[in-house]
Amino acid sequence: DWNPFFAVWQLRGKYPNRGYPKIFEDATVGGEAKKVFDEAQEILKKIVSGRKLTANGIVAFYPANSVGDDIEVYENDETRGTPIANLMTLRQQELREEQGEYLAMSDFIAPKGSGVQDYIGLFACTAGIGMDKLLADFEAKN
């Protein structure tokens, strides 16, 4: 989604759309939008081909059960009585006539009192390892 990119440059228009971005055809901002977009594409190509940034991630599965709208996470199956974390989830807030049920993430984990030993998968990722050096290089050149 390039809309935030164009908004930072104060270039208002339609992007994306099917086929070709309409912002490039805009009489007022089209030329400048195409110019900064092409420059951004070149920078992204250099970052990828030069392996300037590193991505890293981790995934884990933990025993878990829900308590109301919250999810209790346990260290292991044997110690399900003492949670190591409590994930507070928020129930859907937007009122919709056709929707009778408002869900929370906890609705997808077995309740603690059910006797079902359920699990939750968690992940975290980053693509910004090396960003400090990359920014310092850009600042030194500009």
Side-chain angles (χ1 to χ4, degrees):
D1 181 3
W2 284 85
N3 280 321
F5 174 80
F6 290 125
V8 166
W9 289 99
Q10 297 183 348
L11 300 169
R12 307 286 184 234
K14 294 284 186 186
Y15 189 95
N17 62 305
R18 292 181 190 209
Y20 193 75
K22 289 182 181 176
I23 192 171
F24 298 156
E25 298 167 357
D26 186 279
T28 307
V29 299
E32 189 66 18
K34 181 72 171 128
K35 178 183 165 224
V36 297
F37 178 81
D38 289 344
E39 289 172 357
Q41 291 295 317
E42 284 302 313
I43 291 169
L44 289 172
K45 284 178 190 172
K46 288 178 185 175
I47 290 171
V48 172
S49 67
R51 297 178 176 255
K52 304 281 186 189
L53 296 175
T54 301
N56 205 347
I58 187 168
V59 64
F61 294 91
Y62 289 95
N65 284 108
S66 65
V67 178
D69 288 349
D70 298 341
I71 300 170
E72 289 186 351
V73 180
Y74 311 105
E75 187 171 0
N76 56 51
D77 277 330
E78 291 78 38
T79 60
R80 280 186 180 259
T82 307
I84 59 170
N86 186 44
L87 307 178
M88 294 173 273
T89 69
L90 184 64
R91 198 154 292 283
Q92 291 173 313
Q93 301 295 302
E94 185 177 337
L95 297 175
R96 296 183 182 176
E97 289 181 28
E98 72 280 357
Q99 187 173 353
E101 187 176 17
Y102 295 90
L103 299 174
M105 293 299 291
S106 61
D107 293 332
F108 299 93
I109 302 291
K112 189 172 187 175
S114 70
V116 175
Q117 293 187 344
D118 210 347
Y119 297 84
I120 189 167
L122 304 171
F123 71 93
C125 61
T126 181
I129 300 170
M131 182 60 76
D132 292 340
K133 181 175 179 349
L134 184 64
L135 291 175
D137 291 348
F138 277 127
E139 287 175 354
K141 291 177 185 175
N142 294 309

